[in-house]
Amino acid sequence: MTITTPSTAGAARVELAIGGMTCASCAARVEKKLNRMDGVEATVNYATEKAEIVYGAGIAVADLIATVEATGYTATPPAPARVADDADAQTAGAGDAGDELRPLRERLITSVVLAVPVIALAMVPALQFEYWQWLSLTLAAPVVVHGAWPFHRAAWKNARHGAATMDTLISLGTSAAFLWSLWALFFGTAGMPGMRHGFELTVARGDGAGNIYLEAAAGVTAFILAGRYFEARSKRRAGAALKALLELGAKEVTVLRAGRETLIRTEDLAVGDRFVVRPGEKIATDGTVVEGTSAVDASMLTGESVPLEVGPGDAVTGATINAGGRLVVEAGRVGADTQLARMARLVEDAQNGKAAAQRLADRVSAVFVPVVIALALGTLGAWLAAGAGWTAAFTAAVAVLIIACPCALGLATPTALLVGTGRGAQLGILIKGPEVLETTRGVDTIVLDKTGTVTTGRMTLLAVHTADGEDEHEVLRLAGALEHASEHPIARAVATGAATAVGALPVPRDFAGVPGLGVRGVVDGHAVLVGRRKLLAEQAIGLPAALESALAEAEALGRTAVTVAWDGAARAVLEVADAVKPTSAEAVRRLRALGLTPILLTGDNETVARAVAAEVGIDEVIAEVMPEDKVDVVKRLQAEGRSVAMVGDGVNDAAALAQADLGLAMGTGTDAAIEAGDLTLVRGDLRTAADAIRLSRKTLATIKSNLFWAFAYNVAALPLAAAGLLNPMIAGAAMAFSSVFVVGNSLRLRRYTPAH
């Protein structure tokens, strides 16, 4: 069933899955056809293979599907996403993904195994035995017919609609090489016993009836299939961000019904149901606390580094983690209405809205293919007009088509991407695909999420201010011992810092938590209080002037101030905050050196954000931004004419990462953020973001130079082919030399060294 949603007045919106597209020009053609319909606005994304369509009254979804099918492609409503259970996840991981690539992988393996001996026989005269050409035909035929079938099918489809793409060039070149070889073998002299491809590098008019080009047909097919396989493997992950977001939520929930606790699936939860959330569990859905108090860790969802204290009447969000006591929550929103589901829709909308990256080879071939075809026909006509025979005319014309299909073109992108991504993996940089590289050159603004990206993402004890005459070691020993018994994230920060500084901590007695204020207990005979200032005020304990000043200064910097008292006197103020990573300031300097303007974006409050920005050298700050608003911030910057890169690590960053022109996900973050990003920074060091952009730009430059030379060698040989002066050795040498050059040029990326 197709589900449409209202858009503007009198309009509806539908999403269709488009099948059969082989390149970016296919997506452009489908989009053009749809937009020609009255009242239709369509965006077709080649990467996600989806069409987002807004259509007016009088148009049915069936009409849209019929238009796509008339263009030569398939269109179906995509299956609705849902939270998969473990069994589903295992089935999907082992089945669908593998089955999707299996035909292409099998086609590639078959083509490579058969093509290698064909190329070796043609290029190494010592291997050419008496009937080697017939063995080459036997091996090359399955490659050209079966291996190259996707290219032939796409070329025919494109031809029916008056279009020419890389598939057209591949199909024409391989078919011309193979068919001419068949003619030369059966009707020419190439099939005679003892025929050889020699090493004479002479430019002379030869007899085309004695030449075969089976190595060109088989080699080009194998090389291009390899590139398509790696591309398909990358594209398979296009929807992983949505799956990661949906799987973030709790799968089961304990509901209270008739006074009893019952375990049910989260998707069966209804509005008004009351459910239990124990310490460490995820909150199943958006709702309101009706019983209990606790600290809720929402950093993965909202970016807020400080845990949120909640009690009866406070709202909580699904997928956040209960870090403290037992809560009873009344469900307020379920299913598609929850904040998590809305964020999943934002990610999907952002992915669908991104302009499809036009393949460099397709852009060139859009002009190159028609020119080559026209040149081949012109060559045929010119030779016939000059009075030459049909054999000489067809020899020259077919030679033009053969030399115009360089095997180096199949190596240009895959080899540079393979070497570049391999070097990146060594440096902790994962590049998802060649289309990512195109955006790195034009990026001029980089938006940095604060929590977990610029900062460590966890609460840390940063400073200890003691009252006159107090020993810092003793303060940490007593406060750390008491906080060690608490599950609160701030308490854990104090306990960890204390244990690091003083070693083993004593065990407290009579420990008790004071909801929303702190903890109390007895440590080594001292009655100790650790928590908010109000906790001390309730015991009529005031702060000395020095501690008052330290507390005010900490709060001015946006840090959490924790007071410590024992035996009726205030002893210290501890500063706890999300610490800035030691490499962040240097990373910001390197990003500026690349011509990028850094912006700090966070859900934290303005004071905290400004303090962090000042510490790392960022001038522009956008704070107190809700997760769904981060996408709007990126869109606003793009509307100002900026090309935006985004660095983030949390679920709250996933939609913005997908919307940005270039998304860089910290590998220390959530799966949703990593899958939504274009580049993954495995090490969690922000300096790697600068390295990733530099490496991507170098890889893109290498791909462009590879493509240039892949075309240049063969374009240079086109006049020789048109003049009938092309012999097999020159063709083979040009092809081999261009391939060696492309591979050697790509291997230079292995020497890339980060600035640090």
Side-chain angles (χ1 to χ4, degrees), residues 199-284:
F199 269 99
E200 301 86 7
L201 292 175
T202 57
V203 178
R205 187 165 295 138
D207 180 15
N211 299 334
I212 62 173
Y213 301 96
L214 294 172
E215 76 283 1
V220 168
T221 300
F223 285 134
I224 300 298
L225 279 174
R228 291 290 172 87
Y229 174 74
F230 291 119
E231 178 188 24
R233 193 171 63 174
S234 175
K235 278 181 60 182
R236 188 183 68 184
R237 303 176 61 186
L242 293 176
K243 182 180 178 182
L245 270 173
L246 292 169
E247 290 184 347
L248 184 70
K251 295 180 175 62
E252 295 180 326
V253 58
T254 303
V255 296
L256 291 174
R257 290 178 178 170
R260 300 181 60 184
E261 294 186 1
T262 305
L263 189 66
I264 64 171
R265 292 174 62 90
T266 302
E267 60 193 47
D268 297 329
L269 198 62
V271 173
D273 281 346
R274 295 191 174 189
F275 58 92
V276 176
V277 189
R278 295 180 176 83
E281 292 183 344
K282 293 179 181 178
I283 297 175

Side-chain angles (χ1 to χ4, degrees), residues 335-361:
D337 295 327
T338 65
Q339 182 171 337
L340 180 64
R342 292 201 302 271
M343 289 175 65
R345 286 198 299 272
L346 285 172
V347 172
E348 187 170 20
D349 291 343
Q351 286 183 336
N352 288 338
K354 290 178 71 172
Q358 186 77 23
R359 292 285 183 266
L360 294 175

Side-chain angles (χ1 to χ4, degrees), residues 72 192 325 464-465 502 542 615 704 734 738:
M192 300 297 292
V464 179
H465 304 278
V502 305
E615 188 172 345
K704 286 185 174 181
S738 61

Side-chain angles (χ1 to χ4, degrees), residues 53-215:
I53 307 171
V54 177
Y55 59 97
I59 298 177
V61 174
D63 299 329
L64 301 173
I65 294 176
T67 299
V68 175
E69 291 177 343
T71 312
Y73 304 91
T74 62
T76 55
R82 66 179 182 87
V83 179
D85 56 27
D86 294 338
D88 292 339
Q90 291 175 0
T91 301
D96 298 342
D99 291 340
E100 179 185 345
L101 290 181
R102 184 180 300 166
L104 180 56
R105 183 171 57 250
E106 292 175 349
R107 196 183 298 270
L108 169 62
I109 293 172
T110 301
S111 298
V112 170
V113 169
L114 296 178
V116 168
V118 174
I119 296 171
L121 286 171
M123 304 305 293
V124 183
L127 300 178
Q128 295 172 3
F129 52 90
E130 187 170 3
Y131 291 103
W132 69 273
Q133 66 271 44
W134 294 101
L135 175 61
S136 292
L137 174 63
T138 304
L139 297 175
V143 178
V144 177
V145 177
H146 172 71
W149 174 246
F151 309 128
H152 302 320
R153 182 178 54 200
W156 171 247
K157 185 185 298 182
N158 292 330
R160 287 170 52 203
H161 298 280
T165 66
M166 192 65 228
D167 291 320
T168 307
L169 184 61
I170 297 167
S171 180
L172 277 177
T174 55
S175 298
F178 184 71
L179 292 175
W180 183 260
S181 299
L182 281 180
W183 182 89
L185 286 169
F186 285 96
F187 302 104
T189 60
M192 300 297 292
M195 189 276 282
R196 297 286 187 272
H197 274 182
F199 269 99
E200 301 86 7
L201 292 175
T202 57
V203 178
R205 187 165 295 138
D207 180 15
N211 299 334
I212 62 173
Y213 301 96
L214 294 172
E215 76 283 1

Side-chain angles (χ1 to χ4, degrees), residues 647-669:
V647 187
D649 76 324
V651 174
N652 61 305
D653 304 318
L657 286 169
Q659 175 63 39
D661 298 290
L662 179 67
L664 295 94
M666 305 295 281
T668 52

